[in-house]
Amino acid sequence: MMSRTIRAERVGVTREQILTAAERLFAEYGVCAASNRRISEAAGQGNTAAVGYHFGGKADLVRAIVRRHAVPIEELRARMVAAAEGSDDVRDWVSCMVRPVTEHLAALGSPTWYARFLAQVGTDPALCEILDEENRTSPSLRRAVDGFTHCLPELPAAVQAERGTMMRQLILHTCAERERALARGAATPRASWHDAATGLIDALVGLWLAPVTHPS
Amino acid sequence: MMSRTIRAERVGVTREQILTAAERLFAEYGVCAASNRRISEAAGQGNTAAVGYHFGGKADLVRAIVRRHAVPIEELRARMVAAAEGSDDVRDWVSCMVRPVTEHLAALGSPTWYARFLAQVGTDPALCEILDEENRTSPSLRRAVDGFTHCLPELPAAVQAERGTMMRQLILHTCAERERALARGAATPRASWHDAATGLIDALVGLWLAPVTHPS
């Protein structure tokens, strides 16, 4: 009989293999289209029911992949938010939202699958709630929201909420678009994730500082 | 025997019923999750193979739904682009990109499903090419791209391409987010599609006019 430690380690390795295979298949074929059976096979599991055994349903598997990336992104963002504390330069706060994501993607090496995966999760009616939940529980995101309010005290609360949502959408889908272009070998407007982040930060600073037309 | 005209009319009605049912199920349950069988049933077709018979595969069905909306949107945009011709105010060109979409959604009445459907198509690896194709064949979109170049001659071409992509993503996903909030009965920052468009136009004008940091 295996000792309990060795067994736990093996389970840990299997789970990681499944998460990695699932993320890749989700990005390349679609979150809904990639079956548990196919993921089990791609993860090198003899038992094609391995995904169900280790993760339950699709939503649980998706949540586990989101969490695996949310941890390092939250760490990066917590550090940046702490450094930005008290700043009234909106660029600092936009950077706190963009750089942790792009630095994490850059650190994963090439290719990445996470951005394409996440863009699907964000638009899937059965799964998008998972992203909202993760965002709600991030302490650094909450502090960043306060940072924007502090920087832009004259921006009406509804417009602040509106632009905050636009910012999240734009970061998510711009990263996914870049990842998609890289995967196809297509041209990209920027040579690196770092430079892509700079372009995104420029655009988002403009978005936040734009004058507000009051509704008729 | 039915006359040829009556038969063609019946086929037309059936196809419309299928497109309407498919769009709703795609928005509510997911483009990949909603089966042809379920769509046939929701469209009131006794034969559960009706979708396959009339549209072939999922990609063909998705393309037919996209086209059904692309026609009125193209008409609205062609009119606005013609009116904006020669303008060097970037707001005019941003409006040409935003208003045709939001006015079309407003004209559909409540609820709408198209924005949630389209956001999924845009992020699905098996389907996103359909949107790119539709965009490439739109004459008014091409003229609008020229409009931006004319307005912002000093913006480097790569940044112009980058911001053009950001604009398309932001329009698509902001409309989907608003539609999702309306469907849930959640609060929205704006009371109407018209006002949501104004907020989106304000933000996008800021995005286009933002200063460019040159990459290190």
Side-chain angles (χ1 to χ4, degrees):
Chain A
M1 288 234 307
M2 282 193 281
S3 80
R4 206 171 285 183
T5 320
I6 292 177
R7 192 179 294 150
E9 269 171 24
R10 287 204 185 164
V11 167
V13 168
T14 301
R15 287 175 58 99
E16 289 297 307
Q17 286 168 334
I18 291 172
L19 292 177
T20 302
E23 183 180 302
R24 181 169 64 76
L25 291 178
F26 288 165
E28 293 179 346
Y29 302 98
V31 170
C32 170
S35 66
N36 280 0
R37 185 193 185 88
R38 196 161 170 192
I39 295 164
S40 297
E41 284 168 3
Q45 299 301 310
N47 179 354
T48 55
V51 170
Y53 174 77
H54 286 282
F55 291 99
K58 175 113 352 155
D60 303 298
L61 179 56
V62 164
R63 192 176 286 108
I65 298 173
V66 170
R67 290 251 164 93
R68 190 156 77 141
H69 294 278
V71 172
I73 291 172
E74 177 66 22
E75 270 175 32
L76 286 164
R77 198 169 41 221
R79 253 202 315 269
M80 284 194 72
V81 162
E85 205 61 63
S87 166
D88 54 11
D89 182 352
V90 74
R91 191 172 185 94
D92 288 339
W93 295 103
V94 169
S95 299
C96 285
M97 299 296 294
V98 173
R99 296 268 180 219
V101 178
T102 54
E103 283 180 19
H104 176 66
L105 287 164
L108 293 172
S110 177
T112 59
W113 297 279
Y114 185 56
R116 283 169 288 169
F117 157 77
L118 208 63
Q120 291 177 64
V121 175
T123 57
D124 188 309
L127 302 169
C128 60
E129 185 51 34
I130 293 174
L131 272 200
D132 292 341
E133 274 168 34
E134 285 302 314
N135 288 337
R136 268 197 296 275
T137 58
S138 155
S140 67
L141 271 187
R142 241 194 324 263
R143 286 175 71 187
V145 169
D146 293 343
F148 283 98
T149 311
H150 173 74
C151 280
L152 301 159
E154 275 142 52
L155 205 61
V159 178
Q160 217 160 100
E162 179 182 51
R163 293 187 179 176
T165 305
M166 289 178 186
M167 175 173 65
R168 279 191 292 100
Q169 298 280 6
L170 199 57
I171 295 170
L172 173 59
H173 294 290
T174 300
C175 288
E177 183 79 26
R178 177 176 162 78
E179 191 182 271
R180 214 175 288 133
L182 291 172
R184 280 201 312 267
T188 54
R190 304 277 180 165
S192 65
W193 281 110
H194 183 83
D195 290 348
T198 303
L200 194 45
I201 291 166
D202 286 350
L204 283 166
V205 169
L207 181 152
W208 277 104
L209 296 179
V212 178
T213 305
H214 287 281
S216 47
Chain B
M1 287 230 310
M2 279 192 284
S3 81
R4 207 173 281 183
T5 322
I6 293 176
R7 191 179 295 150
E9 269 170 25
R10 286 205 186 162
V11 166
V13 169
T14 302
R15 286 176 59 99
E16 290 297 306
Q17 286 168 332
I18 291 172
L19 292 177
T20 302
E23 183 180 302
R24 181 169 63 76
L25 292 178
F26 288 165
E28 292 180 347
Y29 301 99
V31 170
C32 171
S35 66
N36 280 0
R37 186 194 183 86
R38 196 160 169 192
I39 294 164
S40 298
E41 285 168 4
Q45 298 302 309
N47 179 355
T48 55
V51 171
Y53 175 76
H54 286 281
F55 292 98
K58 176 117 343 159
D60 302 298
L61 179 56
V62 164
R63 192 175 288 109
I65 298 172
V66 170
R67 291 250 166 93
R68 190 154 79 140
H69 294 277
V71 172
I73 292 172
E74 177 65 23
E75 271 175 32
L76 287 164
R77 198 168 42 218
R79 254 202 314 269
M80 284 194 73
V81 163
E85 206 60 63
S87 165
D88 53 9
D89 182 351
V90 75
R91 191 172 185 95
D92 288 340
W93 295 103
V94 168
S95 300
C96 286
M97 299 296 295
V98 173
R99 297 266 180 220
V101 178
T102 53
E103 281 179 20
H104 177 65
L105 287 164
L108 293 172
S110 177
T112 59
W113 297 279
Y114 185 56
R116 285 170 286 168
F117 157 77
L118 209 63
Q120 292 177 64
V121 175
T123 57
D124 188 310
L127 302 169
C128 60
E129 186 50 33
I130 293 173
L131 272 200
D132 293 340
E133 273 167 36
E134 285 302 315
N135 288 338
R136 268 196 298 274
T137 59
S138 155
S140 67
L141 271 187
R142 243 198 319 266
R143 286 175 71 186
V145 169
D146 293 343
F148 284 100
T149 310
H150 174 74
C151 279
L152 302 159
E154 275 142 52
L155 204 61
V159 177
Q160 218 162 99
E162 179 182 51
R163 293 186 180 175
T165 305
M166 288 179 187
M167 175 173 63
R168 280 191 291 103
Q169 298 279 5
L170 199 57
I171 295 169
L172 173 59
H173 294 290
T174 300
C175 289
E177 183 79 26
R178 178 175 160 79
E179 191 181 88
R180 213 174 288 132
L182 291 173
R184 281 202 310 268
T188 55
R190 304 277 179 167
S192 66
W193 282 110
H194 183 85
D195 290 347
T198 303
L200 194 45
I201 292 166
D202 285 350
L204 283 167
V205 169
L207 181 151
W208 277 103
L209 296 178
V212 177
T213 305
H214 287 282
S216 47

